[in-house]
Amino acid sequence: MLQPLTTSKGPIGVFDSGYGGLTVLRSLVKQLPQYDFYYLGDSARSPYGNRSFEAVYQYTLEAVQWFFNQGCPLVILACNTASAKALRSIQQKELAQLAPANRVLGVIRPTTEVLRQYTKTGAVGILATEGTVQSQSYPIEIEKFYPQLKVYQEACPMWVPLIENNEQEGPGADYFVKKHLDAIFKKDPVIDLLLLACTHYPLLEQKIRQYLPPTVQLLSQGEIVANSLVDYLKRHPEIANRCLQQSTLTFNTTDSAVAFDKQAAHFFGAPVSSQEVQLIPGGAK
Ligand code: DGL
């Protein structure tokens, strides 16, 4: 049944499988400090990177439904895996049923739009989860904007578990960072731009830089996504007017709040105090 169009106000929702989206939220709050944000990390089911298309789709849908129930008129999927596997279908199939006046945005398109300016050789490396790589979302999107770019992908399945377990400085991180950088440069040694296409990866940035020649640019998404949201809100006053502007931040997790707060502070760069919430299985149904 179609839901009525609503014009009620609420916070901007920011979603990730766990902590990674906090690296995006950090930039959003910096650029749009006047807005209210609701963050949700689905820590109980994270990581999403190796999960099936169906699972990521269902979990993301449940999260979007939760944000809408909290009154969020706009939700940012600050997770590449969720953006890759669920965004388009949610926009095209579910939104009309759930809340036709609301919007859901992702991180892949805004990132793709600005890539060209960071590469001289035209060879770009995408470092991402298995799910994002398999979805082919980046090569497909980049082809639309910049067909002349050569795109190489490398799935780094151990990076998120290392980061989520606070092992980004340990010897395991050295091993797995080097392994995947070697692999991507083997695909094309003239790659001069590497995109951290997973919102967790900025936590490994220092380690990655240790193994990179200085001629290679390393790009993370926080600032790019924030710039894009600033622009979106200017172009869409009908949505911007429905986003509350009282500078509040609310953190939510599907797992233990105590555990979340401890780890989340590393990602957000400031203390975090969260509450535990439950998503409704089946989401929209
Ligand atoms: N942070 C997420 C991303 O940007 C996903 C990490 C995961 O859950 O595997 O892809």
Side-chain angles (χ1 to χ4, degrees):
M1 196 175 72
L2 280 183
Q3 305 287 319
L5 280 174
T6 170
T7 51
S8 60
K9 287 191 172 203
I12 298 174
V14 180
F15 174 66
D16 183 55
S17 60
Y19 305 107
L22 292 164
T23 63
V24 174
L25 181 65
R26 197 173 170 163
S27 300
L28 295 177
V29 172
K30 204 166 156 197
Q31 299 229 26
L32 295 160
Q34 70 276 32
Y35 282 94
D36 292 25
F37 292 97
Y38 256 43
Y39 183 85
L40 173 64
D42 189 9
S43 306
R45 301 188 289 199
S46 143
Y48 280 10
N50 298 326
R51 290 195 185 268
S52 70
F53 176 89
E54 290 74 21
V56 174
Y57 184 73
Q58 191 53 45
Y59 296 170
T60 307
L61 185 57
E62 289 170 18
V64 167
Q65 173 78 81
W66 180 84
F67 281 114
F68 288 171
N69 290 346
Q70 310 307 307
C72 299
L74 175 64
V75 178
I76 315 291
L77 303 183
C79 173
N80 289 270
T81 312
S83 299
K85 293 190 168 190
L87 178 64
R88 183 147 309 178
S89 300
I90 288 179
Q91 286 172 332
Q92 292 176 355
K93 288 198 221 141
E94 311 284 353
L95 205 56
Q97 299 283 331
L98 289 177
N102 290 358
R103 291 294 172 264
V104 183
L105 304 174
V107 289
I108 296 178
R109 194 177 174 132
T111 310
T112 305
E113 280 174 0
V114 302
L115 277 189
R116 183 70 192 95
Q117 60 188 287
Y118 297 98
T119 168
K120 289 198 180 84
T121 62
V124 178
I126 308 291
L127 302 167
T129 64
E130 193 71 60
T132 301
V133 167
Q134 273 174 12
S135 76
Q136 293 291 327
S137 299
Y138 273 99
I140 292 168
E141 281 295 312
I142 294 172
E143 167 79 23
K144 285 187 208 153
F145 287 101
Y146 309 113
Q148 70 283 18
L149 290 184
K150 285 195 205 135
V151 183
Y152 303 93
Q153 301 194 92
E154 174 70 12
C156 312
M158 286 303 290
W159 287 13
V160 168
L162 280 167
I163 294 166
E164 293 250 328
N165 289 290
N166 219 359
E167 284 288 336
Q168 58 268 36
E169 290 307 322
D174 284 285
Y175 176 82
F176 283 108
V177 163
K178 190 166 175 332
K179 174 179 170 168
H180 293 300
L181 292 182
D182 287 349
I184 200 154
F185 285 114
K186 214 165 164 194
K187 292 173 188 167
D188 190 340
V190 304
I191 290 172
D192 68 347
L193 171 62
L194 284 181
L195 173 67
L196 299 181
C198 170
T199 55
H200 280 69
Y201 293 175
L203 272 273
L204 265 185
E205 197 171 324
Q206 274 180 322
K207 183 61 67 195
I208 298 169
R209 281 190 198 282
Q210 286 174 19
Y211 292 98
L212 275 191
T215 46
V216 176
Q217 292 241 42
L218 192 60
L219 199 61
S220 354
Q221 298 175 294
E223 215 178 300
I224 296 170
V225 174
N227 287 338
S228 165
L229 183 59
V230 169
D231 181 56
Y232 178 88
L233 292 172
K234 272 192 206 136
R235 287 185 292 110
H236 294 276
E238 77 287 2
I239 297 292
N241 290 338
R242 293 180 51 215
C243 297
L244 281 172
Q245 298 196 32
Q246 291 162 358
S247 305
T248 68
L249 268 179
T250 310
F251 297 92
N252 304 278
T253 172
T254 53
D255 206 347
S256 145
V258 177
F260 183 85
D261 294 352
K262 203 165 151 226
Q263 186 72 336
H266 298 298
F267 288 79
F268 190 56
V272 164
S273 175
S274 65
Q275 57 195 16
E276 194 180 324
V277 298
Q278 276 195 336
L279 306 187
I280 304 163
K285 291 180 199 102

